[in-house]
């Protein structure tokens, strides 16, 4: 009697051989695929790939998560293709088309051994919730599939270094499951784009673009993909009035303290101004994206905090010079601070931040 391991190896070899024999005996031009209830059934491999028109429309933008780098949409996907094997006869005064749910159409296609174009959203996160889907089946074999869905899509190309002057790019990627030897996806421009009521108040979406590309699909082979891309930039009014303008006022108040003759009052005002800056920073912290790198606005806040804090130390040093009988030197330094050092420090830092982050 053979050992157990030898018997197991022989059984596996027999199973593989039987499987290859079934594949070899299958009809020419067919391959094996899953049918209803998990059974095996043949499906047709075309000599030429079937052309499938794809339309993608974003009806609503439900969320944009900057830290997680994803966004939520309510969208519509439309597939249009034609297969003569799906044609049917029209009797009497019937309209030469019919609508039906997807499950009923899949049963018809399975009975006629028609291989249908399946797809995935390649940048989808989590589940896609289909609100409604419908098949429009024409008598000549033209098929239109309409699906309205809700999904969260990944946006790995987000880059917020220029925040709040950043411009981001969004993608909705529809990818065929079978390779290009089976299906070739082509864009349908007139059924794609952005809706008129997107429901997004922070961003201004624009410049939608639909294009077809070839990528490596789930099978590891070249696979057709149609993607809708669009750009979006922020409404600047909020950031200009709620963040940039208060920062500018804090800067002018810091500079105005140098016009006081009494150094003790300067120190008190500089301390108060620093506390105002700290409170302002905490107030706007919830609106700033929490990222692993600094943005343009982060650099402004950090740089102005350092310069505003240094003004407290400078005024304390000037007061010490006056108390030590060196008031002439203190006034000379003070004059250079008011006219040159303070304005040029802020201007130089602002020039560096704009050049490094925005240009």
């Amino acid at each position: 009697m053979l050992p157990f391991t030898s018997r197991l190896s022989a059984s596996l070899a027999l199973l593989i051989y039987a499987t290859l024999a079934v594949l070899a005996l299958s009809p020419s031009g067919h391959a094996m695929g899953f049918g209803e209830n998990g059974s095996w059934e043949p499906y047709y491999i075309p000599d030429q790939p079937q052309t499938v028109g794809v339309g993608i429309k974003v009806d609503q933008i439900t969320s944009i998560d900057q830290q997680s780098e994803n966004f939520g949409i309510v969208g519509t996907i439309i597939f249009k293709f034609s297969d003569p094997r799906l044609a049917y006869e029209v009797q009497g005064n019937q309209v030469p088309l019919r609508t039906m749910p997807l499950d009923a159409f899949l049963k018809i296609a399975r009975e006629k051994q028609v291989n249908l174009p399946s797809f995935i959203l390649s940048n989808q996160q989590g589940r896609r919730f289909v609100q409604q889907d419908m098949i429009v089946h024409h008598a000549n074999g033209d098929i239109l599939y309409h699906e309205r869905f809700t999904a969260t899509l990944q946006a790995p190309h987000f880059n917020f270094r220029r925040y709040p002057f950043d411009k981001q790019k969004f993608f909705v990627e529809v990818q065929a499951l079978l390779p290009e030897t089976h299906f070739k996806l082509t864009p349908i421009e007139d059924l794609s784009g952005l809706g008129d009521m997107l429901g997004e108040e922070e961003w201004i979406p624009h410049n939608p673009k639909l294009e077809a590309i070839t990528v490596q699909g789930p099978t590891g082979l070249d696979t057709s993909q149609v993607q809708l891309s669009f750009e979006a930039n922020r409404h600047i009014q909020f950031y200009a009035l709620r963040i940039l303008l208060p920062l500018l006022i804090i800067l002018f108040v810091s500079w105005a303290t140098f016009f006081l003759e009494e150094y003790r009052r300067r120190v008190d005002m500089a301390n108060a101004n620093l506390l105002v800056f700290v409170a302002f920073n905490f107030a706007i912290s919830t609106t700033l994206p929490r990222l692993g790198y600094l943005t343009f606005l982060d650099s402004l806040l950090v740089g102005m905090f350092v310069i505003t804090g240094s003004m407290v130390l400078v005024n304390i040093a000037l007061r010490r010079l006056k108390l030590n009988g060196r008031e002439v030197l203190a006034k000379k330094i003070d004059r250079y601070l008011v006219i040159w050092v303070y304005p040029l420090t802020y201007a130089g830092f602002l020039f560096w931040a704009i050049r490094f982050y925005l240009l």
Side-chain angles (χ1 to χ4, degrees), residues 17-27 30-32 40:
Y17 177 79
T19 303
L20 292 176
V22 171
L23 291 175
L25 293 174
S26 62
H30 290 71
M32 303 303 293
W40 287 90

Side-chain angles (χ1 to χ4, degrees), residues 296 299-300 346-358:
F296 172 70
S299 68
L300 286 185
Y346 271 118
F349 171 75
L350 187 60
F351 175 78
W352 170 84
I354 293 175
R355 182 180 178 83
F356 185 78
Y357 286 96
L358 301 185

Side-chain angles (χ1 to χ4, degrees), residues 136-204:
V136 179
H137 187 183
H138 292 263
N140 61 355
D142 292 345
I143 306 299
L144 185 143
Y145 171 70
H146 182 281
E147 176 186 304
R148 182 176 172 87
F149 68 95
T150 301
T152 299
L153 305 178
Q154 186 182 16
H157 303 289
F158 278 175
N159 189 326
F160 299 99
R161 287 176 57 85
R162 297 166 57 93
Y163 175 84
F165 301 100
D166 53 321
K167 180 185 293 184
Q168 304 301 335
K169 202 161 189 179
F170 301 78
F171 292 89
V172 183
E173 301 169 347
V174 174
Q175 183 182 125
L177 283 177
L178 293 178
E180 282 187 327
T181 54
H182 290 70
F183 297 105
K184 181 71 173 180
L185 305 186
T186 59
I188 305 177
E189 298 285 350
D190 56 342
L191 297 179
S192 305
L194 302 176
D196 297 329
M197 303 292 291
L198 293 177
E200 177 55 49
E201 294 296 335
E202 182 180 359
W203 297 82
I204 308 173

Side-chain angles (χ1 to χ4, degrees), residues 28-90:
S28 177
H30 290 71
M32 303 303 293
F34 281 111
E36 192 172 9
N37 299 324
S39 62
W40 287 90
E41 65 180 20
Y43 63 83
Y44 175 71
I45 299 178
D47 296 331
Q48 296 293 331
Q50 186 177 33
T51 301
V52 181
V54 179
I56 308 172
K57 187 172 183 180
V58 176
D59 300 313
Q60 298 175 24
I61 298 177
T62 57
S63 64
I64 297 178
D65 191 330
Q66 301 171 97
Q67 189 173 3
S68 300
E69 293 190 341
N70 59 35
F71 64 103
I73 66 168
V74 176
T76 301
I77 296 177
I78 295 176
F79 271 52
K80 292 180 70 175
F81 64 97
S82 182
D83 195 314
R85 292 170 295 170
L86 294 173
Y88 61 91
E89 294 183 2
V90 179

Side-chain angles (χ1 to χ4, degrees), residues 100-109:
M100 64 183 70
L102 179 61
D103 293 339
F105 178 73
L106 291 177
K107 185 176 181 180
I108 295 175

Side-chain angles (χ1 to χ4, degrees), residues 119-130:
F119 72 97
I120 58 172
L121 294 178
S122 57
N123 62 331
Q124 174 183 324
Q125 291 184 343
R127 295 187 58 186
R128 182 175 85 252
F129 297 94
V130 178

